[in-house]
Each structure stands twice: as C-alpha cells, then as structure tokens.
Amino acid sequence: MRIGVTTTGGDAPGMNAAIRAVVRYAIPQGLEVVGIERGYAGLITNQIIPLNLRSVGGILHLGGTFLKSARCPEFKTPEGIKRSVEVLIENKIDGLVVIGGDGSFRGAMDLSKASGISIIGIPATIDNDVAGTDSTIGFDTAVNTALDAIDKIRDTALSHERIFVVEVMGRNRGFLALEVGLAGGAGVILIPEIKFKLDTMCKRLRVYEESGKASTIIVAAEGIGDTAAVVNYIEKNTKYEVRFTKLGHIQRGGSPTARSRLLADLFAAKAVELLLQGAKDKMVGLKGNSVISVDFNYACNAKKPLDKRLYKLAEDLAV
Ligand code: ADP
Ligand code: F6P
C-alpha cells in the first residue's frame, strides 16, 4: 500500500508531529509514504514528495507544517476533484491521511467518493471546533500561548487599573476563548454560543468597580463579531479606562505543547491502523482517554457541544 499524507486548512502546532508519526508508524509496517505539499492545492498540481524515516527528523518540536498548508477553492469544483483523482492514480496512492479541520474533511468526503480510496482524517485546528473529538491537535498549544499573553497583559491591567478586552481566535466557536478565559481568570468571557447583552455586561463591570476591583480582563472570541463595539460600549458606560488587544496569529504558531504532540502521536497511529484495516471516511478522535474513530459525516455535520459548566464556573469565580 502506498499512502499519502497532507496538511490542509489553517496550520496548527503539532501538525509536524502528526506527519512524523504517520510516517514512522506506517513505514515499518510495510507501507510506502508520500507527502502531498500544500494540501488540496498541491494535490491538484501534483506536488508529491517521497517521505522516509529520516525526512521527518527534526520537525517534532516545530510549529506550522513542513508540508505547507493552503486553502484551495478549486478543490470544491468538479474539475478540481477530477484532477485530484487523476493525480492520485498517477502516483499510485491508494490511501490518504488528511490532517486538518472540518472543511478539510468535507473535501476528503468528496475525494473519497470520486476516487474510491481510503481516506482517514486527523483533526488539527486551534479552534477545537470539530465534532466527534474532545480535542484537536494544536488546541492545547493555542490555549497556553493565549494564556501566556494574557498573563503579560494582566501586568499592565493591574498597574494601570484598566480593563483589557483580549480577542482570541475562533472563527465560529468559543472553545479557545472559554478555556483561556477560565484559566486566565477573565472577569467576562464573550463567546458566540452564549448570547450576551452589552448592557448586562456593563452592569457586571459596575459591580466590580463598586467592589473595589480596579482592573479586569475580558476574553472575547473572534466569532462574536464586532469586538471594537464592545470596547466603545464599556468606555461609554463605565468609569474604567479600556484597551483592546487582538492576539491574532501568534496563537497559531509556536512549538507544540506535550499534549498537542501526544495527541498527534496517538491520532497518527490510529489513522494508519484504520488505513491498514481498509476503513473509509473516518476521522480519528479523542473521547475521554480513548482514541476512537468517527464517521466523517458526523465530524462535518454535527455541532460540537460546548461545556457550559465551564462558563458558569468562570462566572462564579469572577467576583
Ligand atoms: P479547515 O480544514 O481548517 O476547516 P478550511 O475550511 O479552509 O479549513 O478547508 C480547507 C480546504 O478544504 C479548503 O480550502 C477546500 O479546499 C476544502 N474544503 C473546505 N470546505 C469544503 C467543502 N464544503 N467541500 C469540499 N471541500 C471543502
Ligand atoms: O481555523 C483556525 C483559525 O485560526 C480561525 O480561528 C481564524 O478565524 C482563521 O483560522 C484565520 O485563518 P487565516 O488567517 O489563515 O485566513
């Protein structure tokens, strides 16, 4: 069997660890492995490189992905899929590991239908917004990166007695904001899953003011929309001085944490085993302490629940 491995969508710390583990788990079992550079964009344009045990040395601790990643609108067209199937056939690839998020798995389902080959997904995104897995590769690293930034911002918040509104990533979902907010002792957490009124938030901030709380951190998920409007509203409706910090892409980079690397190793081994068993259209995932497989259909179409108890706990502690 000759398998391909590729990274697509937004990069996430631990993708390199996952590529390395796929290669080093597969080759000793008699599989040949090739890397497809730049995700589906590289598939369409035949950017295929051979991988061996040594070519994945020295990358375990690096963020990003040495295979590069890309977004590829062309892949969503019938021509893009047709060309991808031709490239798979030309390169004699009969199994594929796709490391990415739910968008990547939607594409994988189309490709598997058109090509008939086995495709297994490994969830990797800092947003942790893929259904069917408790966690995704890169999420823990991003939580820790954002937390480190917030701890630093807190120094200024305390010294100058200000409110800081800190926007963290999360295009549609608030998993990152919720964990960072709880772990970082945020006074308020704003996420798309929990409706909030600016007026109610300011009442809460005034209670803080009256209780002598001179500063606080508000963690807002990118997915809530207009964070600048939140800042303006607080400035107008409380006595606090307010600053806004958007953490941005620093959350996507950096050396993966132990947890992100372990997840990469566990997911990669399971993905290769599934390919050897001839499984199709599956994503590997974490449920409690077990590594499981779930249907792509579920991973792509179910809405991952957010643990609202964490939100309540953060509120309880922010007094
Ligand atoms: P992620 O995998 O991190 O969610 P994207 O949503 O950007 O990232 O998806 C990565 C790539 O997967 C896209 O550039 C596109 O080529 C492919 N893709 C995304 N959504 C679909 C879809 N609905 N159907 C087919 N392919 C898709
Ligand atoms: O999907 C991960 C993510 O970091 C989102 O939280 C964010 O909205 C998006 O990627 C930004 O992606 P890019 O800068 O690559 O367009």
Side-chain angles (χ1 to χ4, degrees), residues 8-10 40 70-73 75-76 100-104 106-107 110 171:
T8 82
Y40 297 133
R71 296 210 164 87
C72 179
F75 186 73
K76 293 189 189 178
D102 58 340
S104 304
R106 276 193 194 96
D110 293 347
R171 193 172 7 195

Side-chain angles (χ1 to χ4, degrees), residues 227-258:
T227 320
V230 174
V231 176
N232 286 337
Y233 198 90
I234 300 170
E235 264 170 349
K236 291 200 177 105
N237 291 282
T238 70
K239 293 194 197 93
Y240 284 113
E241 195 183 346
V242 195
R243 292 288 186 274
F244 174 57
T245 305
K246 181 173 174 151
L247 296 185
H249 288 79
I250 63 158
Q251 297 159 100
R252 283 247 293 259
S255 183
T257 57

Side-chain angles (χ1 to χ4, degrees), residues 13-24 51-67 254-256 261:
M15 279 184 159
N16 277 324
I19 299 165
R20 169 185 175 273
V22 166
V23 171
R24 292 198 175 169
L51 294 176
N52 60 44
L53 298 175
R54 297 283 73 80
S55 50
V56 291
I59 62 168
L60 174 62
H61 61 300
L62 301 176
T65 159
F66 93 105
L67 286 177
S255 183
R261 296 182 202 190

Side-chain angles (χ1 to χ4, degrees), residues 127-240:
D127 290 353
N128 195 24
D129 58 352
V130 183
T133 183
D134 295 348
S135 194
T136 54
I137 295 171
F139 176 64
D140 182 68
T141 309
V143 169
N144 281 291
T145 301
L147 195 57
D148 180 57
I150 285 173
D151 286 347
K152 289 179 173 128
I153 287 168
R154 190 179 286 285
D155 288 345
T156 303
L158 286 166
S159 304
H160 285 262
E161 302 183 308
R162 288 174 181 163
I163 283 185
F164 271 81
V165 178
V166 181
E167 185 188 290
V168 303
M169 276 189 167
R171 193 172 7 195
N172 304 309
R173 304 297 308 271
F175 295 100
L176 186 56
L178 181 56
E179 287 211 8
V180 169
L182 177 57
V188 176
I189 300 173
L190 303 174
I191 52 178
E193 290 85 351
I194 295 183
K195 295 276 159 269
F196 64 93
K197 288 202 174 105
L198 289 175
D199 182 41
T200 316
M201 180 190 68
C202 281
K203 273 192 196 127
R204 194 180 174 100
L205 294 177
R206 281 195 295 271
V207 172
Y208 289 168
E209 243 174 358
E210 280 152 24
S211 75
K213 197 172 166 83
S215 71
T216 198
I217 304 281
I218 297 177
V219 173
E222 176 190 2
I224 66 158
D226 193 356
T227 320
V230 174
V231 176
N232 286 337
Y233 198 90
I234 300 170
E235 264 170 349
K236 291 200 177 105
N237 291 282
T238 70
K239 293 194 197 93
Y240 284 113

Side-chain angles (χ1 to χ4, degrees), residues 298-309:
Y298 182 81
C300 293
N301 297 318
K303 185 165 181 188
K304 182 168 175 170
L306 176 128
D307 190 348
K308 294 198 170 142
R309 289 168 309 177

